[in-house]
Amino acid sequence: ALLPLDRSSDAITGQFFRTRTRKLHLTDFLVGYKLVAAAGFLFFAVLLGGYIFFQVRRISEPPTLSITEPKNGTRLDAPSVLIRGSTDPDATVDVNGRQAYVETDGGFQLTLDIPRGTTIVVVKSRRRHGSESTSVRRVIYDQPFPGWNEHTVSSTEKNIR
């Protein structure tokens, strides 16, 4: 069957030319297997690139570190302090050079013996690949020295007895 011919003109030259109209068929919208394969490969490459990006970013970020106890400037009446906090479960924690055990939920605690006076407590949380977070607390152990409970005798009292 012959298709009907339309007459159209070119806007610049004004010349007429013939165009053919055609009916659309369902097969005009089908996509070839090569195009589907290329789109699938591109989709896979974008997903893989995004996964790698977020994993590298997660590894390179320092771990979270939150110290809940003691508060900075806490005054203690005993020569030990309980350090308690939380971090990422896959991180290691050092408190003034001593390693603390990290629970599966990321919580940790360690009792540290301290001398009289002000002590700086440095808590470091470190990932396997080296990035670390640090938190510093100052605690004060100011228990007075044991005193004499005896009554001091003056020289005049000695002479009266």
Side-chain angles (χ1 to χ4, degrees), residues 58 63 87-92 102-104 106 126-128:
R58 183 177 177 275
T87 187
D88 293 344
D90 59 342
T92 59
V102 179
E103 302 285 338
T104 56
R126 181 176 299 126
R127 290 191 194 268
R128 281 187 297 176

Side-chain angles (χ1 to χ4, degrees), residues 57-135:
R57 185 172 154 221
R58 183 177 177 275
I59 289 171
S60 64
E61 283 182 340
T64 59
L65 178 61
S66 173
I67 307 299
T68 56
E69 194 177 329
K71 301 294 181 198
N72 199 24
T74 300
R75 291 190 175 273
L76 305 169
D77 57 358
S80 65
V81 61
L82 176 67
I83 313 298
R84 184 178 291 157
S86 63
T87 187
D88 293 344
D90 59 342
T92 59
V93 174
D94 289 332
V95 179
N96 283 10
R98 291 183 53 201
Q99 189 164 10
Y101 177 73
V102 179
E103 302 285 338
T104 56
D105 65 349
F108 65 89
Q109 68 180 24
L110 180 75
T111 301
L112 190 65
D113 293 328
I114 59 172
R116 188 176 313 278
T118 302
T119 302
I120 297 175
V121 179
V122 179
V123 181
K124 292 183 181 180
S125 176
R126 181 176 299 126
R127 290 191 194 268
R128 281 187 297 176
H129 302 290
S131 59
E132 73 178 22
S133 296
T134 303
S135 183

Side-chain angles (χ1 to χ4, degrees), residues 28-71:
D28 293 338
F29 296 104
L30 293 180
V31 178
Y33 70 93
K34 290 181 181 179
L35 184 60
V36 171
F41 177 76
L42 183 62
F43 181 72
F44 175 74
V46 167
L47 282 179
L48 182 64
Y51 174 78
I52 290 172
F53 172 77
F54 284 111
Q55 289 300 318
V56 167
R57 185 172 154 221
R58 183 177 177 275
I59 289 171
S60 64
E61 283 182 340
T64 59
L65 178 61
S66 173
I67 307 299
T68 56
E69 194 177 329
K71 301 294 181 198

